[in-house]
Amino acid sequence: MPSRIPLQALCCVLVPWAFTTFHQALGNPAPHPGPHYLLLPIHEVIHSRRGATATLPCVLGTSPPSYKVRWSKVEPGELRETIILITNGLHARGYGHLGGRASMRRGHRLDASLVIKNVRLEDEGRYRCELINGIEDESVALTLRLEGVVFPYQPSRGRYQFNYFEAKQACEEQDGRLATYSQLYQAWTEGLDWCNAGWLLEGSVRYPVLNARAPCGGHGRPGIRSYGPRDRSRDRYDAFCFTSALAGQVFFVPGRLTLSEAHAACRRRGAVVAKVGHLYAAWKFSGLDRCDGGWLADGSVRFPITTPRPRCGGLPDPGVRSFGFPRPQQAAYGTYCYAEK
């Protein structure tokens, strides 16, 4: 007489098989077990500010007999990775623009975490920690995200004057860098509404719309409108710049000054005329609130408002207001100065 399989044992065999088969039929196979030696990070996004020290965690659960760990940065829009540092667990060698600012944390013998000192704007992005043991390489990816502010920028000549490379340079001259799409998206969720299209770091051209209207792409849904990829040398638009916290301080000098007198006034106080990025950072991180228009280094006149009020810009939302680019000889404004601490 054939032996019978108990129902409980049969369920233990069939249920896992049926569950796996069902997921495979849906095109959703069972999860990959993940790296063998590297521990998956608890947090894949690391937040920091300019000037701070950031640690990107990369820890081995166990050590292979022989290995190297290579840290690299994925460059947006360039389809390449830049090597930052290579270590064999005992010695490390740095590469690239990070130079002496990058080092290993070495909290213990299995710690391959990367430490970046004096974080800069260009340090934001995606990083890869790769274990190379000659048999089965594996890696974990992390994102370093800076707290900051995005601001639209155009020169005194008017809108749509920059090709991609000129936009990149313009942002750097204003203490910023071209914003990424994710930075622009974050700024849109925080209230940025701007009708003029601008270059982004990846080479695309977009603009954020909160209040859909006819002169601004039509009455569709709010969102990030896109012109798609453009010719970086030929096509011309504005720029969306990104900046982060300041090492110094922005302050206002009252008066009826020309632009050259503004420069002299700041120099007498051991400072320089503030750049556009300085003013936005002071507004964002220090709560700078002033109803007085002041000269900035690019020849524009602006003022920061954190608490909107009548006869102080006329708009209901906080922001940095602009009087445009008056004649440099016009003695009608104070100036915003910037001094390192």
Side-chain angles (χ1 to χ4, degrees):
M1 182 176 180
S3 59
R4 295 182 179 179
I5 301 176
L7 180 60
Q8 183 177 3
L10 188 62
C11 288
C12 290
V13 173
L14 292 179
V15 169
W17 171 83
F19 182 80
T20 303
T21 303
F22 175 73
H23 275 261
Q24 289 175 341
L26 291 178
N28 184 20
H32 189 275
H36 179 63
Y37 290 106
L38 295 177
L39 299 180
L40 293 175
I42 298 176
H43 302 290
E44 295 183 359
V45 178
I46 308 301
H47 295 270
S48 187
R49 287 186 178 184
R50 178 168 55 180
T53 296
T55 299
L56 305 181
C58 184
V59 178
L60 283 69
T62 183
S63 177
S66 174
Y67 71 94
K68 291 182 180 179
V69 170
R70 178 173 63 193
W71 275 97
S72 59
K73 184 173 187 286
V74 182
E75 301 295 346
E78 299 183 18
L79 301 178
R80 65 183 179 90
E81 293 190 13
T82 301
I83 297 176
I84 296 171
L85 186 145
I86 296 177
T87 179
N88 62 1
L90 298 175
H91 307 284
R93 180 178 178 182
Y95 299 84
H97 69 277
L98 282 173
R101 295 190 296 116
S103 62
M104 304 303 298
R105 182 172 62 179
R106 299 186 189 280
H108 49 81
R109 66 182 184 86
L110 299 176
D111 187 6
S113 302
L114 181 71
V115 177
I116 302 176
K117 298 178 181 178
N118 189 24
V119 170
R120 299 175 183 174
L121 296 178
E122 62 267 24
D123 295 339
E124 173 161 312
R126 194 159 180 81
Y127 291 77
R128 190 185 312 279
C129 174
E130 184 177 10
L131 177 72
I132 304 171
N133 64 7
I135 301 174
E136 187 179 353
D137 299 345
E138 56 189 67
S139 66
V140 295
L142 302 107
T143 298
L144 178 61
R145 185 164 296 162
L146 269 62
E147 299 175 28
V149 56
V150 171
F151 60 95
Y153 188 74
Q154 59 182 227
S156 59
R157 304 187 304 275
R159 73 174 196 159
Y160 294 175
Q161 298 292 321
F162 297 136
N163 66 22
Y164 173 82
F165 306 101
E166 292 164 345
K168 190 170 183 288
Q169 180 180 351
C171 288
E172 292 168 359
E173 290 174 351
Q174 298 307 317
D175 191 52
R177 71 190 296 250
L178 275 178
T180 64
Y181 171 78
S182 62
Q183 289 166 348
L184 183 65
Y185 184 88
Q186 177 70 27
W188 172 71
T189 65
E190 294 173 356
L192 182 60
D193 182 90
W194 198 255
C195 258
N196 293 342
W199 289 103
L200 296 180
L201 185 61
E202 298 88 349
S204 62
V205 173
R206 304 173 189 262
Y207 62 99
V209 175
L210 273 178
N211 302 309
R213 50 209 184 270
C216 199
H219 292 283
R221 297 180 61 182
I224 307 292
R225 307 287 168 81
S226 174
Y227 284 13
R230 294 285 161 165
D231 188 299
R232 297 189 181 197
S233 299
R234 187 185 65 232
D235 293 329
R236 295 187 173 272
Y237 297 96
D238 291 346
F240 285 106
C241 307
F242 173 84
T243 194
S244 185
L246 297 172
Q249 180 183 14
V250 174
F251 59 92
F252 181 73
V253 176
R256 299 180 66 84
L257 309 173
T258 65
L259 180 57
S260 61
E261 290 170 342
H263 282 283
C266 290
R267 283 196 300 269
R268 287 196 297 270
R269 293 162 173 80
V272 296
V273 175
K275 299 179 179 181
V276 177
H278 291 150
L279 190 64
Y280 270 92
W283 166 74
K284 173 76 172 182
F285 293 103
S286 302
L288 185 61
D289 183 282
R290 186 103 195 180
C291 241
D292 305 284
W295 290 106
L296 296 181
D298 67 338
S300 64
V301 172
R302 307 174 193 248
F303 61 100
I305 297 298
T306 56
T307 305
R309 49 203 182 272
R311 292 185 292 182
C312 195
L315 296 175
D317 300 316
V320 174
R321 316 285 194 244
S322 175
F323 286 150
F325 292 84
R327 290 183 300 106
Q329 300 80 16
Q330 185 174 342
Y333 306 100
T335 185
Y336 290 95
C337 303
Y338 174 73
E340 296 282 353
K341 291 183 180 179

